[in-house]
Amino acid sequence: IRMVQKDINILSQKLKRTEAITDETVFRLSDEIRAKGKKKEKDNTHVQSYKLLTEMRQLFDNLVDTARETGKAQNHGRDIESRSENLSARIKSTRLERILNDLAQVKNENKELKGKIKEMS
C-alpha cells in the first residue's frame, strides 16, 4: 500500500514538472509565433496543445484519485476482514468456554450421581 502511494506521489510530481515545462514551451512558442507575425495564418496549434495538456492533466488527476480511492477501499476491506476474523475467534472462544463449563457441570453431576449410587448400595 505504501509503495503504491509512493509511486502515485512520484508520478504526480513528475507529471507536474513535465506539465510546467510543456506549459512554458507552449507559451514560448506562442510568443515566437506572435513575434514573427504568423498570427495572421491562424495557427492555433499552441492553443490546441495547451487544451490537450490541460485535458491530459485532468485525466491523470482522475486516474490518481481513482487509484487512491481503490487503495482506501482495499484498506477498508482488509480492516473489515481482520475485524471479522477477530470476532470469529472471540465467538469460537466463547463457545469453547461454554462447552468446557457444560462439561464441568456434567462431571460434577456424574460425581454426585456416583455418590448417590454408592450411598444406595
Side-chain angles (χ1 to χ4, degrees), residues 69-110:
E69 290 301 317
T70 301
K72 286 179 186 178
Q74 288 174 340
N75 286 342
H76 186 66
R78 277 192 286 278
D79 289 345
I80 289 173
E81 186 176 330
S82 176
R83 289 178 188 167
S84 173
E85 289 172 359
N86 288 340
L87 280 173
S88 179
R90 273 193 229 155
I91 290 170
K92 287 178 184 177
S93 175
T94 303
R95 286 181 183 165
L96 180 61
E97 288 175 15
R98 286 182 189 165
I99 290 171
L100 291 175
N101 286 338
D102 290 346
L103 181 61
Q105 285 178 346
V106 169
K107 284 182 179 181
N108 285 337
E109 289 174 6
N110 283 345

Side-chain angles (χ1 to χ4, degrees), residues 22-35:
T22 306
D23 191 26
E24 180 183 325
T25 303
V26 167
F27 278 115
R28 186 173 37 84
L29 289 174
S30 176
D31 286 343
E32 287 176 10
I33 289 171
R34 278 189 225 133

Side-chain angles (χ1 to χ4, degrees), residues 24-65:
E24 180 183 325
T25 303
V26 167
F27 278 115
R28 186 173 37 84
L29 289 174
S30 176
D31 286 343
E32 287 176 10
I33 289 171
R34 278 189 225 133
K36 292 180 180 179
K38 292 185 179 180
K39 190 173 184 180
K40 294 177 184 176
E41 297 174 14
K42 296 212 175 200
D43 184 11
N44 290 327
T45 55
H46 60 280
V47 174
Q48 290 173 339
S49 297
Y50 188 74
K51 285 180 182 179
L52 290 173
L53 176 66
T54 303
E55 184 180 343
M56 183 178 68
R57 177 61 184 179
Q58 184 60 44
L59 291 171
F60 184 79
D61 286 342
N62 292 344
L63 180 64
V64 168
D65 289 342

